[in-house]
């Protein structure tokens, strides 16, 4: 080892210079890399935008299918915000210019499942109570033609005022009609039917067809 | 008032961000947590003076604007929770001064953290009771889910926000009625 020590610094210098020859990149190359990175970033942004547009397009196609199948007029509205309380399930939507939204109109998703109904209309915004809001009440059909009152209860909904002899079973569809000529709007399915001996009516739990909150648009049936 | 708000602009900013998270729900229905409530509890437990009360009044009013019905429910509820948590904090600190067993067993820091966690659970329970009575609906599973998720979210919030030395319950007590 001692023999090589006098040459140590010389060898180190040589190695450094040698490695610099390989690792050093000319200025124009580094500029090109920066440019390519920037370009790559822009392409990624564009790609994400296109993905979002594709999803939106698919949603609108589904909504168009529902519109043609159901014979209804749909208005697309953007959601501004959700209710900040977990005990109230409502959303605030922007009022589109030139559209006359009224209290009581139904809001559906792109597949035509009921989301809620308009409960408050202001100049710039409207408020929609979702189906699982505790204040939500709506007369609905169950199965073929039995009628009851749908009431939201945060986790889902219940149907009230259906007598025990109506023969409701789990899996029966819950639906309503937006108008006399319009087709049915699905709400959910009967999850459980139980009978309270002290009551005239059945206790019916409903599983709603819309389950998630990840939506930024709703369709209003006019 | 403006001077007061300028002085407490950091708290104002944090609570406003939490309020926006509540409004926009970036995690959808996957999380049953009210971040503003957690923020108010956090501020009540870590700040002395009138700041927490004023903030709870201000954000209670803001929250009422976005919730159906014109009744000032959150304008009353959030200050009540704020006062109650501060009262409980002084109560816990009072016990810690007298109880040699607790302080000797676990240390002041651990005791302060445990006391604060208990207060958070009590405040969440009060919130559940208030809302269940107000909306006339009680769902055991939903309430349990809300308390557990909120508690975990509070620990995360506490970890993120409480990096600076916050006053312990004992320090808070020195400035309060004890």
């Amino acid at each position: 080892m001692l023999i090589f020590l006098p040459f140590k610094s010389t060898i180190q210098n040589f190695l450094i210079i040698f490695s610099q020859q390989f690792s050093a990149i000319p200025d124009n190359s580094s500029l090109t890399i920066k440019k390519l990175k920037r370009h790559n970033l822009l392409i990624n942004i564009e790609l994400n935008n296109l993905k979002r547009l594709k999803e939106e397009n698919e949603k609108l196609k589904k909504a168009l299918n529902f519109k043609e199948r159901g014979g209804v007029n749909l208005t697309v509205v953007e959601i501004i915000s959700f209710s900040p309380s977990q005990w109230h399930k409502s959303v605030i939507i922007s009022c589109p210019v030139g559209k006359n939204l009224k209290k009581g109109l139904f809001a559906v998703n792109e597949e035509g499942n009921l989301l809620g109904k308009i409960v408050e209309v202001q100049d710039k915004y409207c408020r929609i109570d979702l189906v699982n809001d505790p204040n939500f009440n709506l007369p609905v059909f169950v199965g073929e033609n039995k009628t009851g009152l749908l009431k939201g209860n945060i986790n889902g909904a219940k149907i009230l005022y259906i007598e025990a002899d109506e023969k409701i079973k789990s899996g029966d569809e819950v639906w309503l009609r937006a108008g006399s000529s319009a087709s049915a709007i699905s709400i959910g399915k009967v999850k459980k039917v139980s009978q309270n001996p002290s009551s005239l009516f059945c206790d019916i739990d409903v599983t709603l067809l819309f389950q998630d909150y990840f939506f930024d648009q709703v369709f209003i049936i006019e | 008032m403006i001077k007061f708000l300028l002085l407490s602009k950091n708290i104002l900013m944090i609570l406003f961000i939490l309020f926006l998270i509540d409004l926009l729900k970036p995690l959808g229905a996957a999380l049953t947590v009210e971040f503003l409530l957690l923020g108010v509890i956090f501020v009540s437990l870590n700040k002395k003076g009138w700041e927490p009360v004023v903030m709870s009044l201000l954000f209670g009013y803001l929250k009422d604007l976005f919730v159906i019905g014109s009744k000032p429910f959150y304008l009353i509820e959030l200050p009540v929770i704020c006062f109650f948590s501060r009262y409980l904090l002084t109560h816990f600190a009072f016990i810690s001064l007298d109880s040699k067993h607790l302080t000797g067993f676990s240390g002041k820091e651990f005791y302060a953290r445990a006391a604060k966690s208990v207060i958070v659970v009590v405040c969440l329970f009060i919130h559940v009771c208030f809302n269940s009575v107000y909306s006339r609906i009680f769902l055991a599973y939903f309430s349990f889910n809300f308390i557990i998720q909120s508690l975990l979210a509070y620990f995360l919030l506490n970890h993120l926000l409480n990096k600076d030395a916050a006053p312990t319950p004992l320090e808070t007590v020195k400035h309060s009625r004890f």
Side-chain angles (χ1 to χ4, degrees):
Chain A
M1 290 298 284
L2 281 170
I3 299 166
F4 291 105
L5 273 176
F7 302 106
K8 191 182 171 185
S9 61
T10 316
I11 291 167
Q12 274 179 344
N13 286 337
F14 175 74
L15 284 172
I16 287 165
I17 291 163
F18 186 71
S19 64
Q20 274 177 348
Q21 292 302 315
F22 282 97
S23 62
I25 297 164
D27 282 349
N28 57 348
S29 299
S30 68
L31 274 174
T32 315
I33 287 170
K34 272 184 189 170
K35 215 182 264 182
L36 283 171
K37 275 184 182 171
R38 194 166 162 270
H39 192 62
N40 192 31
L41 190 71
L42 288 172
I43 286 174
N44 278 335
I45 292 168
E46 188 70 19
L47 192 67
N48 285 333
N49 278 340
L50 288 173
K51 273 181 190 169
R52 199 177 54 78
L53 284 174
K54 192 186 168 194
E55 279 171 17
E56 196 176 332
N57 193 20
E58 279 167 7
K59 264 188 192 178
L60 291 172
K61 270 183 188 170
K62 280 182 188 172
L64 191 65
N65 278 342
F66 171 70
K67 186 182 171 180
E68 284 169 359
R69 197 177 65 235
V72 288
N73 279 332
L74 291 180
T75 305
V76 191
V77 286
E78 297 283 334
I79 290 177
I80 300 172
S81 78
F82 293 87
S83 167
S85 168
Q86 289 290 339
W87 271 261
H88 294 92
K89 306 288 180 184
S90 61
V91 292
I92 293 173
I93 56 166
S94 59
C95 275
V97 181
K99 294 282 179 183
N100 186 22
L101 297 183
K102 286 178 282 185
K103 203 174 165 180
L105 291 179
F106 296 123
V108 294
N109 64 5
E110 67 275 4
E111 282 155 3
N113 301 324
L114 187 74
L115 293 176
K117 65 176 177 184
I118 296 178
V119 290
E120 189 185 336
V121 181
Q122 299 290 341
D123 293 341
K124 302 272 180 191
Y125 70 92
C126 300
R127 205 189 303 259
I128 294 176
D129 258 1
L130 296 179
V131 188
N132 54 351
D133 186 84
N135 296 321
F136 186 90
N137 294 304
L138 189 69
V140 291
F141 293 101
V142 187
E144 291 292 314
N145 56 0
K146 291 136 199 164
T147 54
L149 185 74
L150 186 87
K151 187 166 173 57
N153 69 347
I154 301 175
N155 285 335
K158 276 181 180 291
I159 297 177
L160 310 175
Y161 311 123
I162 289 194
E163 289 178 15
D165 58 352
E166 293 270 23
K167 290 178 185 167
I168 303 286
K169 55 184 187 302
S170 58
D172 278 356
E173 203 178 331
V174 182
W175 56 281
L176 67 91
R177 211 177 281 280
S180 54
S181 60
S183 69
I185 299 170
S186 301
I187 299 170
K189 286 190 171 171
V190 174
K191 185 182 172 188
K192 197 176 79 179
V193 184
S194 49
Q195 175 68 49
N196 187 354
S198 61
S199 170
L200 277 172
F201 305 108
C202 293
D203 198 13
I204 300 170
D205 288 330
V206 177
T207 308
L208 299 172
L209 285 175
F210 100 93
Q211 289 290 336
D212 62 337
Y213 261 27
F214 291 102
F215 53 90
D216 52 0
Q217 286 175 336
V218 293
F219 300 89
I220 306 293
I221 298 177
E222 289 185 274
Chain B
M1 183 68 182
I2 291 167
K3 195 181 171 186
F4 176 83
L5 290 176
L6 282 173
L7 282 172
S8 48
K9 60 179 184 295
N10 286 345
I11 300 171
L12 201 68
M13 189 90 86
I14 289 164
L15 289 179
F16 189 70
I17 289 168
L18 294 174
F19 179 63
L20 279 184
I21 294 173
D22 273 351
L23 274 186
L24 301 176
K25 292 199 195 305
L27 294 169
L31 209 59
T32 46
V33 172
E34 288 182 23
F35 286 97
L36 179 63
L37 173 76
L38 298 180
V40 167
I41 296 172
F42 176 82
V43 172
S44 307
L45 294 180
N46 291 290
K47 283 277 171 189
K48 49 185 185 280
W50 286 95
E51 262 177 314
V53 182
V54 173
M55 291 296 156
S56 58
L57 277 167
L58 183 69
F59 282 93
Y61 174 74
L62 256 182
K63 196 167 178 173
D64 272 327
L65 290 179
F66 284 84
V67 176
I68 276 184
S70 56
K71 290 168 194 163
F73 177 72
Y74 291 101
L75 189 64
I76 297 165
E77 195 217 359
L78 289 184
V80 166
I81 285 177
C82 175
F83 275 121
F84 197 72
S85 59
R86 289 184 73 78
Y87 169 74
L88 282 181
L89 192 66
T90 56
H91 182 69
F92 270 105
F94 181 66
I95 291 169
S96 80
L97 290 171
D98 287 288
S99 171
K100 286 174 187 171
H101 174 71
L102 274 173
T103 47
F105 173 70
S106 48
K108 278 181 190 172
E109 197 184 335
F110 176 78
Y111 178 74
R113 283 182 187 198
K116 282 183 181 181
S117 304
V118 170
I119 293 168
V120 174
V121 173
V122 172
C123 289
L124 291 171
F125 189 73
I126 291 169
H127 181 71
V128 168
C129 292
F130 262 96
N131 277 281
S132 299
V133 170
Y134 182 66
S135 54
R136 280 168 284 170
I137 190 165
F138 177 73
L139 298 161
Y141 177 72
F142 175 79
S143 305
F144 176 73
N145 209 7
F146 174 80
I147 290 175
I148 295 294
Q149 288 190 21
S150 299
L151 193 61
L152 292 174
Y154 180 83
F155 288 144
L156 181 69
L157 195 72
N158 193 41
H159 177 73
L160 292 173
L161 299 180
N162 218 358
K163 283 179 179 168
D164 300 329
T168 63
L170 294 173
E171 284 171 347
T172 313
V173 162
K174 280 176 194 167
H175 301 282
S176 68
R177 65 194 177 103
F178 291 108

